[in-house]
Amino acid sequence: MYDTVFLRLTQAEVNGVDFLEEVPCFLEDVGEHIYSGFPFITGNLNGLKVTANRYQLKVKDGSLCKYLLGDNFQTMGRGDTQRAIEKLSDTLHLPMGKAVVTRMDIAQNFIVKHPPQVYLNHLGALRYANRLQEPSGLYYSLNGGRLCFYDKNKEQKSKREEIPDLYNGRNVLRYERRYTQRIAAKFGVAEVTGAMLYDEAFYIEALNRWKADYQAIQKINDITLNFQAMKTKQELYKMGILSLTEQAGGQVEMINQINEAQQRGELTKKQAYDLRVAVNEACQLKEGLTAPNEAIQELDKKVAEAVRFYR
């Protein structure tokens, strides 16, 4: 389930090999440059960008999945990852299993019943993350990375790239977990290397974290306004909040309006916080006032199934 992977290999790991002398002959579109008075080279390797100076080599700005399988619609499992690192090592004549991973994307494409936007509308807040709704998709900005949900076919068309037959004309939702900083610290290890990507224990941990990050997102239930479910005045108050939230356009829109009122000075920080808590609590009710959304139930199942078999 890996996609984009950035790797950095230092001279110390290759017994003093001169990257500037050895690497260019294995690359396409090679360019020679000077930066801060020091020479370095750039080149392309089947869609991967390779840069090197005398002391280190970097592989970046490309999909390891595309490099091996030809596109990143397919799922790149543990065995595929090992083959990709070995292929990269053989091509560059370097031990890329020793390279340090500086970025790591874990992703899966889901063929779903509804247009991807339907699912995005029901993904709510995530603790310690900023929820960013953009025209290209839904993003959660985290310390050291991002969660990304978007229409994979739409992205593919915008890049003018071919859509595989299996996915063409279908609803395809992509979920990515991007690690861009302090990857080793996130996983509690000294460093993450190319070889660790296909280590069974590490691979299982990475996929379980991918699943757990999705599960931690607050799901926005459908509001049913079931008046027969009200037994107390407290439930009546919460029903009123649900009704108002529905009129405002849903949980996310209601929270946005509260935040904007705070920014305008109409609410204090404490007042805005209390209102957000009230809205979130009301929307989490399970006692007949809200109902699980069918699209989210489908996505929950697909995410769980994606990590069931560790290939």
Side-chain angles (χ1 to χ4, degrees):
M1 292 173 65
Y2 295 113
D3 186 25
T4 298
V5 174
F6 288 7
L7 299 164
R8 183 182 71 241
L9 186 67
T10 64
Q11 196 177 46
E13 298 291 347
V14 292
N15 298 320
V17 168
D18 189 333
F19 294 125
L20 293 178
E21 290 290 333
E22 302 293 334
V23 172
C25 61
F26 306 124
L27 306 178
E28 299 176 343
D29 304 321
V30 177
E32 298 180 3
H33 315 273
I34 300 295
Y35 180 74
S36 298
F38 296 96
F40 73 98
I41 58 112
T42 60
N44 183 277
L45 184 61
N46 293 343
L48 298 176
K49 182 178 179 180
V50 178
T51 65
N53 59 25
R54 183 172 298 173
Y55 307 104
Q56 65 178 5
L57 174 141
K58 295 181 180 180
V59 177
K60 59 180 184 177
D61 296 344
S63 165
L64 199 63
C65 187
K66 282 185 181 180
Y67 170 72
L68 182 72
L69 302 178
D71 63 65
N72 64 349
F73 277 82
Q74 301 178 66
T75 298
M76 188 176 190
R78 190 167 69 89
D80 293 325
T81 305
Q82 181 172 357
R83 286 187 286 275
I85 296 297
E86 290 174 350
K87 178 183 176 182
L88 198 57
S89 299
D90 291 342
T91 302
L92 293 173
H93 293 76
L94 294 169
M96 298 307 296
K98 295 182 178 181
V100 173
V101 176
T102 58
R103 171 171 170 170
M104 180 177 75
D105 292 2
I106 302 168
Q108 179 77 0
N109 297 306
F110 300 111
I111 296 175
V112 290
K113 295 179 183 178
H114 311 288
Q117 188 60 47
V118 171
Y119 301 84
L120 307 190
N121 291 340
H122 288 275
L123 296 174
L126 175 63
R127 194 176 185 185
Y128 306 125
N130 292 323
R131 184 184 188 276
L132 307 170
Q133 183 83 51
E134 299 180 4
S136 59
L138 176 62
Y139 304 90
Y140 293 86
S141 181
L142 300 165
N143 181 21
R146 263 189 165 194
L147 302 186
C148 311
F149 298 85
Y150 58 89
D151 185 328
K152 178 60 179 175
N153 279 353
K154 183 177 179 180
E155 181 217 36
Q156 198 78 348
K157 289 177 182 177
S158 70
K159 293 181 177 180
R160 298 184 178 180
E161 295 182 2
E162 185 177 353
I163 299 173
D165 290 341
L166 176 63
Y167 298 91
N168 198 14
R170 308 181 77 173
N171 299 312
V172 183
L173 174 64
R174 183 173 179 86
Y175 163 42
E176 292 180 4
R177 182 18 166 139
R178 299 176 183 172
Y179 293 92
T180 56
Q181 296 177 345
R182 302 178 66 248
I183 301 174
K186 297 289 184 185
F187 285 84
V189 296
E191 63 181 12
V192 177
T193 64
M196 284 182 66
L197 294 177
Y198 52 86
D199 173 79
E200 183 175 11
F202 182 86
Y203 185 76
I204 290 173
E205 175 70 12
L207 266 61
N208 283 338
R209 286 173 179 257
W210 174 86
K211 175 184 174 182
D213 285 336
Y214 166 79
Q215 292 176 326
I217 298 171
Q218 181 179 328
K219 309 307 187 294
I220 300 173
N221 292 327
D222 292 329
I223 297 173
T224 62
L225 298 181
N226 181 3
F227 289 94
Q228 293 182 344
M230 288 186 295
K231 305 294 189 225
T232 66
K233 288 191 293 184
Q234 189 65 25
E235 289 175 345
L236 175 61
Y237 297 149
K238 291 183 178 179
M239 178 69 79
I241 295 173
L242 284 173
S243 181
L244 183 61
T245 300
E246 183 179 45
Q247 292 179 30
Q251 181 183 9
V252 172
E253 180 59 30
M254 186 67 171
I255 295 297
N256 287 340
Q257 291 188 26
I258 292 171
N259 292 338
E260 289 173 5
Q262 179 185 350
Q263 292 171 1
R264 292 193 300 267
E266 298 170 6
L267 296 171
T268 66
K269 183 177 180 179
K270 175 66 164 56
Q271 289 169 336
Y273 172 80
D274 289 343
L275 291 179
R276 286 193 296 268
V277 169
V279 170
N280 288 332
E281 286 182 350
C283 290
Q284 289 175 349
L285 289 174
K286 306 291 185 183
E287 301 170 355
L289 302 182
T290 64
N293 176 260
E294 178 268 335
I296 286 298
Q297 288 181 316
E298 178 197 0
L299 188 55
D300 287 348
K301 182 178 179 181
K302 288 184 178 294
V303 169
E305 288 175 345
V307 301
R308 185 170 296 170
F309 303 105
Y310 301 104
R311 296 175 292 249

